[in-house]
Amino acid sequence: RRVLFRSERVCDRVIIIDKGKLLLDGKPDELVAMHSSGTLERLFTQLTGGTELERRAEDFAKTFRS
């Protein structure tokens, strides 16, 4: 996640690829604005289904906390 945070501030162009498929290509600030995601990290998560993976990981972790 740190990579996305830094990429958003340093890179002129980013490419988001998921499972070998090109999802987006462009300037970070323009991509974030175009998709109303707020940050590059949120945009990446939305496009790659990361929110579902995070939810499943949290559910799995809960089984060990009980």
Side-chain angles (χ1 to χ4, degrees), residues 44-63:
F44 178 84
T45 301
Q46 289 169 356
L47 293 172
T48 61
T51 52
E52 174 62 18
L53 293 175
E54 288 175 3
R55 186 194 60 75
R56 290 172 49 199
E58 182 60 31
D59 289 346
F60 179 72
K62 285 179 185 176
T63 64

Side-chain angles (χ1 to χ4, degrees), residues 23-63:
L23 301 179
L24 285 178
D25 178 0
K27 294 180 179 184
D29 56 341
E30 291 176 2
L31 296 174
V32 168
M34 186 184 319
H35 294 275
S36 303
S37 58
T39 67
L40 191 59
E41 182 176 340
R42 280 194 208 120
L43 176 58
F44 178 84
T45 301
Q46 289 169 356
L47 293 172
T48 61
T51 52
E52 174 62 18
L53 293 175
E54 288 175 3
R55 186 194 60 75
R56 290 172 49 199
E58 182 60 31
D59 289 346
F60 179 72
K62 285 179 185 176
T63 64

Side-chain angles (χ1 to χ4, degrees), residues 8-30:
E8 193 167 2
R9 285 154 179 70
V10 176
C11 297
D12 295 334
R13 177 181 175 202
V14 295
I15 297 173
I16 297 178
I17 300 171
D18 184 40
K19 299 177 185 121
K21 181 179 176 187
L22 175 67
L23 301 179
L24 285 178
D25 178 0
K27 294 180 179 184
D29 56 341
E30 291 176 2

